[in-house]
Amino acid sequence: MTPRRITPGLAGAPTDVDVVVIGLGVTGAGVALDAASRGLSVLAVDAHDLAFGTSRFSSKLVHGGLRYLASGQVAIAHESAVERGILMETTAPHLTRPLPSLIPLAPGVSRPMGLLAGAGFLGGDLLRRAARTSADTLPRPRRLTAAEARRLAPPLRTDGLRGGLLGWDGQLEDDARLVTTIARTAAERGAAVHTHARVLSATGTAVELRDELTGAPLSVTCRTVVNAAGVWAGDLVDDVRLRPSRGTHLVLRAEALPKLSVAVFAPIPGETNRFVLVLPQPDGQFYVGLTDEPVDGPVPDVAEPTEVEIGFLLDVVSASFSRQLRRSDVVGAFAGLRPLLDGGEGSTADLSRKHAVLTSRTGVVTIVGGKLTTYRRMAEDAVDAAVASAGLAAGPCVTATLPLLGAAPREALAEEAARAGSPGAARLVRRYGADAGLALTAAVEASGWSEAELLAPIAPGHPTIPTVWAELFFGITHEGAADVADLLDRRTRIGLVPDDRAVALPAAERVLEACRNPRRSGETRA
């Protein structure tokens, strides 16, 4: 099949395919890649954009299933550990990194709770070994002295600190970047990936679409349909019952917790195995999360954090640090909705994260539940079910050994970043891996600017916005960005901080205009 690029709208979309995939979050993008890599013809669509929903509002972690192990969900914990290893060592080493995580043994952590947490870290290491993930990728956990804990996390509250527990998990460069890269890889394998294309109706063999950019309708005939619409899956299939749960995160600047370079697990009062996480990010910010609140009523396009949740997160985290965090420290906040299967009564925090594949009366295959880390296995199970239901001739699943675009050994990428001639060039390596050169070349061709200009920050004088011009151009040329929101809220994550978004807005508008009017794109930035 001829490689494609991600396309906003339905221009050029096929009208007869083997598989239509509805939804382009991490699971839908994974389904598109899985199906295309088995030799099936694929049309994958989303009413909005890549990673528009839950997939851009995660904790940006590649979890090993520690929490599930603590609650006795051993099978889910093992699956998570296996999928984490595949992501970190095979499919996306360029988009993942080991994250050291510290549980401070402070007065708020009783000795029995500390023993339980330590046993959990050891159990997590057993999962790592069972998943055959190298200790070079994720080192073994260990106990720290109080002095070691203070050195790793200088802002910690030191009164009564007895030491700490240090474990390791995986962290993403960015969740939306993972989704975009999966979608690009699916397109490179021949899938037709179209954003801003809304599904009006669907059966197992036909889908009615509307181009959200032009309003034009399109009818598509297919052999099978996979519904990967997440929390909106029930809008397409009546007999899918979900119970969404809202997870809220805060965004803090680096100066709120100076010199903190490890994740910190802050214990939630009254809970034995639940924590609020303080997560350092590649660009110097911190994400603090997360909550687990049931959501009733219609599902919104974008969930909004509540002030109650923000206050809860600040209070829990402040108990572990020497400085009381204030509402003014919060420069951004975001919330995502988990598509949990309705299990009846009880807290959403207690609902299983196990995924499920359901087939409707009309033949639509729906994949729900699960979590970001296990997207690949979810996609495999969904495609298996769709292929069996439709009687399609397809090859075996190969995604466990199929590197995403830009993948390369982590050590090689570190050396390449070290050799980069500028911070901007090193940033492209960090964000695109081995495709850094492609991103820069594509930006040169689209803009007519010099490499030096494209590697410069889009907002000089604003160190909290390290995004370079090449990222915006590549977002349009190869990643299907159609508007300012696509660029600032998903291809980059500038939009997580409203003040930064306002500063970056003129740059995004300028790049969009340059790509729409290529005759003027040869102008320099000056």
Side-chain angles (χ1 to χ4, degrees):
M1 294 183 181
T2 303
R4 304 171 183 263
R5 290 186 183 175
I6 299 163
T7 304
L10 286 167
T15 57
D16 189 355
V17 294
D18 293 325
V19 185
V20 171
V21 183
I22 302 171
L24 283 168
V26 70
T27 305
V31 170
L33 173 58
D34 187 296
S37 63
R38 297 193 198 200
L40 299 172
S41 57
V42 178
L43 170 62
V45 297
D46 194 286
H48 299 285
D49 185 29
L50 304 174
F52 181 82
T54 304
S55 294
R56 64 172 159 142
F57 294 131
S58 76
S59 297
K60 285 64 175 165
L61 296 178
V62 186
H63 279 299
L66 189 60
R67 178 178 171 187
Y68 312 108
L69 187 66
S71 60
Q73 300 179 62
V74 178
I76 298 177
H78 179 258
E79 181 178 87
S80 297
V82 169
E83 294 301 322
R84 176 186 63 184
I86 291 172
L87 265 168
M88 297 191 72
E89 296 188 338
T90 303
T91 60
H94 58 315
L95 300 177
T96 58
R97 62 181 64 85
L99 176 69
S101 304
L102 172 67
I103 298 179
L105 298 177
V109 179
S110 67
R111 293 189 183 276
M113 186 177 179
L115 291 172
L116 182 63
F121 272 1
L122 291 175
D125 194 54
L126 289 176
L127 285 174
R128 174 195 63 78
R129 296 184 193 188
R132 299 185 177 181
T133 303
S134 169
D136 291 334
T137 300
L138 293 173
R140 296 180 177 88
R142 65 187 182 94
R143 174 77 181 254
L144 303 177
T145 66
E148 288 175 318
R150 287 194 296 269
R151 281 198 296 272
L152 280 175
L156 281 179
R157 187 185 298 274
T158 58
D159 296 346
L161 184 66
R162 331 189 276 280
L165 300 170
L166 182 67
W168 295 79
D169 216 336
Q171 183 179 36
L172 287 167
E173 166 68 24
D174 176 52
D175 46 9
R177 178 122 311 278
L178 174 66
V179 177
T180 302
T181 306
I182 297 168
R184 279 188 59 223
T185 309
E188 193 269 343
R189 288 274 167 161
V193 181
H194 289 256
T195 60
H196 301 277
R198 184 176 297 275
V199 174
L200 303 178
S201 65
T203 67
T205 56
V207 177
E208 296 296 324
L209 301 167
R210 183 178 67 219
D211 188 319
E212 295 293 85
L213 301 180
T214 67
L218 184 71
S219 298
V220 178
T221 302
C222 56
R223 262 56 73 197
T224 187
V225 171
V226 178
N227 173 15
V231 290
W232 299 277
D235 295 343
L236 294 169
V237 179
D238 292 338
D239 50 1
V240 173
R241 294 180 59 213
L242 299 178
R243 194 173 173 204
S245 162
R246 184 176 59 248
T248 289
H249 292 81
L250 313 181
V251 184
L252 310 179
R253 296 286 197 205
E255 54 268 24
L257 296 167
K259 300 182 180 179
L260 179 63
S261 59
V262 299
V264 172
F265 287 38
I268 297 176
E271 301 279 354
T272 57
N273 66 346
R274 290 189 62 210
F275 300 84
V276 168
L277 309 184
V278 180
L279 303 167
Q281 300 303 306
D283 286 332
Q285 297 171 337
F286 294 98
Y287 298 157
V288 174
L290 73 169
T291 59
D292 201 324
E293 297 295 327
V295 176
D296 298 317
V299 178
D301 280 349
V302 178
E304 294 292 339
T306 67
E307 286 298 324
V308 171
E309 290 174 295
I310 293 172
F312 165 78
L313 292 172
L314 289 174
D315 288 344
V316 171
V317 169
S318 291
S320 293
F321 291 93
S322 58
R323 176 180 175 270
Q324 174 72 36
L325 295 175
R326 302 178 179 85
R327 184 63 177 83
S328 58
D329 292 314
V330 179
V331 295
F334 59 91
L337 300 180
R338 306 175 185 89
L340 305 180
L341 280 171
D342 192 345
E345 298 299 323
S347 167
T348 53
D350 298 324
L351 292 182
S352 173
R353 266 44 172 183
K354 183 174 177 58
H355 65 270
V357 180
L358 312 169
T359 302
S360 75
R361 293 183 299 274
T362 64
V364 175
V365 174
T366 297
I367 175 74
V368 290
K371 58 203 190 78
L372 184 146
T373 304
T374 60
Y375 85 89
R376 191 209 62 81
R377 178 58 187 273
M378 294 170 65
E380 177 181 352
D381 290 350
V383 176
D384 282 347
V387 165
S389 175
L392 293 172
C397 177
V398 298
T399 53
T401 56
L402 177 64
L404 301 180
L405 293 180
R410 201 170 284 109
E411 298 78 9
L413 292 175
E415 292 176 2
E416 184 177 345
R419 292 194 302 267
S422 68
R427 177 178 172 83
L428 290 188
V429 174
R430 198 192 85 205
R431 305 256 314 155
Y432 303 97
D435 274 352
L438 171 65
L440 184 57
T441 299
V444 169
E445 293 175 353
S447 67
W449 300 2
S450 70
E451 290 188 358
E453 289 174 316
L454 289 163
L455 292 173
I458 65 171
H462 294 271
T464 60
I465 309 175
T467 303
V468 300
W469 290 95
E471 294 176 69
L472 299 185
F473 279 104
F474 192 67
I476 296 171
T477 62
H478 284 66
E479 297 178 340
D483 54 30
V484 165
D486 291 353
L487 283 176
L488 298 184
D489 299 337
R490 288 170 289 277
R491 302 306 179 278
T492 68
R493 304 313 300 280
I494 299 171
L496 290 176
V497 178
D499 287 351
D500 289 351
R501 192 184 197 280
V503 171
L505 185 61
E509 291 173 338
R510 178 173 184 182
V511 171
L512 283 163
E513 178 63 23
C515 289
R516 289 169 183 152
N517 297 282
R519 285 176 298 178
R520 298 182 59 195
S521 65
E523 300 173 0
T524 66
R525 293 190 305 117

